[in-house]
Amino acid sequence: MLDSFRSSRAISALTWSKELQTLRHFFRFAVDRKWTAENPAVRVTMPKNIKPTDKEPYNRNEIVKILAACDAFGQRPYERLRARAMVLLLRYTALRISDVATLARDRVRNGEIYLRTMKNGKVIKLPAPAELRAGLDAVPAPLGTESDCRYFFWSGNGTTRSAIRDVTRTLAAVFKASGVPGAHAHRFRHTLATELLEAGGSLEDVAEVLGNSPNIIRKHYAKWSLLRQERIAALMRTVFDTNLIHKQTPSITADFEGLKLVDGMGFEPTTPALRTPCSPS
């Protein structure tokens, strides 16, 4: 049945590997509760040597196109102002869509945006650039609410799932209208991660901003951009630059000019050493 399930759909090896992991977890759950005697998904071969789809960071021109698409989106300023604020949040904070959809107004204050509470109990906050603050200030209250609505994009009514779905649809329409190939909300996370690493930020710094672990940042977000490569190359040159080494390290050639190699004995001075009389035996 599992083999038939796999062959009946045209999906990639990466998608199947994720589905197979889910199936294995489900059957393990069933075996633990004695609903079945074995886990048949374990015998299904997991795809190997899978290369995940590479998501490149946005360049400046692509971000400009996406923001321009917000100004032409929808039929009214209501939709356009909301779309622009959503994109600016992705650009400057790399929040996930779920966090954008449920962002509360009290998390933006004093020129800063409070992202989340870390494991140590401290709150991580980022400076909110003037463009982001202006975009959020211009967001109209969600339909069916008063001006003092707690959230930027969600009325607070209904489920968070429906709010996330609405934001996802809005962004999908904006990305399509922008004409940017492969435009997707997740690429903003790659963009900010790359910029932070290029500026000299550590993997731990980027992990705190994006809410991931350093291992995830190293695996998925540490892009080898041109600026980052140049910074690393400059660091290597400070270590291995031969001209710099010769300037800082005293030459040892002169110390050996007066020495010559004697077979079986090693180095011997060119001038004879003073002989001392042997002491009586």
Side-chain angles (χ1 to χ4, degrees):
M1 185 182 296
L2 292 177
D3 291 337
S4 176
F5 175 69
R6 168 65 183 92
S7 60
S8 64
R9 298 171 303 134
I11 58 176
S12 67
L14 178 60
T15 300
W16 173 239
S17 67
K18 294 180 179 180
E19 291 185 352
L20 183 55
Q21 290 177 2
T22 302
L23 289 169
R24 287 179 174 180
H25 282 297
F26 169 74
F27 280 109
R28 188 179 305 126
F29 178 88
V31 170
D32 290 342
R33 282 152 184 77
K34 302 187 185 306
W35 297 347
T36 182
E38 59 180 349
N39 186 342
V42 172
R43 297 197 302 271
V44 179
T45 304
M46 179 69 71
K48 298 180 180 179
N49 300 323
I50 301 175
K51 294 183 179 180
T53 304
D54 196 18
K55 296 180 178 65
E56 293 297 329
Y58 288 116
N59 58 44
R60 187 176 300 275
N61 184 51
E62 290 174 332
I63 295 176
V64 170
K65 288 183 177 180
I66 294 174
L67 287 173
C70 295
D71 298 333
F73 169 75
Q75 302 295 325
R76 301 171 298 168
Y78 175 84
E79 292 92 350
R80 296 168 184 171
L81 292 174
R82 284 167 59 91
R84 183 177 182 84
M86 292 174 189
V87 171
L88 289 174
L89 275 171
L90 295 175
R91 170 69 184 99
Y92 288 111
T93 67
L95 285 173
R96 296 178 175 87
I97 290 182
S98 58
D99 294 325
V100 171
T102 58
L103 183 67
R105 292 181 179 272
D106 60 6
R107 288 173 61 182
V108 183
R109 57 185 183 272
N110 301 324
E112 296 175 322
I113 179 167
Y114 292 71
L115 298 185
R116 68 188 68 84
T117 302
M118 296 184 292
K119 292 181 178 180
N120 58 9
K122 296 183 179 180
V123 176
I124 180 170
K125 56 186 178 180
L126 299 179
E131 185 180 20
L132 174 57
R133 297 199 304 271
L136 291 175
D137 290 341
V139 174
L143 293 176
T145 64
E146 302 296 334
S147 58
D148 59 348
C149 178
R150 178 185 176 189
Y151 303 97
F152 283 102
F153 309 107
W154 181 33
S155 65
N157 302 319
T159 64
T160 57
R161 182 186 296 273
S162 63
I164 296 170
R165 183 178 62 246
D166 292 342
V167 172
T168 301
R169 290 174 177 173
T170 297
L171 291 172
V174 169
F175 293 143
K176 182 178 180 180
S178 70
V180 176
H184 192 274
H186 200 79
R187 283 182 62 184
F188 281 105
R189 294 176 67 81
H190 288 267
T191 303
L192 185 57
T194 300
E195 291 172 338
L196 292 173
L197 292 172
E198 286 178 347
S202 66
L203 295 175
E204 289 75 14
D205 295 333
V206 180
E208 290 186 355
V209 172
L210 268 62
N212 289 118
S213 67
N215 288 335
I216 293 296
I217 299 301
R218 181 182 295 105
K219 181 178 180 181
H220 296 288
Y221 298 103
K223 296 295 181 182
W224 285 96
S225 63
L226 180 60
L227 289 178
R228 187 165 183 255
Q229 180 61 57
E230 290 178 350
R231 182 170 57 83
I232 294 177
L235 177 63
M236 295 294 291
R237 280 194 293 269
T238 63
V239 177
F240 295 109
D241 191 327
T242 55
N243 293 330
L244 183 62
I245 291 177
H246 286 320
K247 290 178 181 179
Q248 295 181 347
T249 305
S251 175
I252 61 174
T253 305
D255 296 338
F256 286 93
E257 287 179 348
L259 301 177
K260 64 180 180 179
L261 191 62
V262 178
D263 291 341
M265 298 181 63
F267 287 105
E268 178 181 303
T270 54
T271 57
L274 294 177
R275 297 182 177 276
T276 55
C278 296
S279 57
S281 55

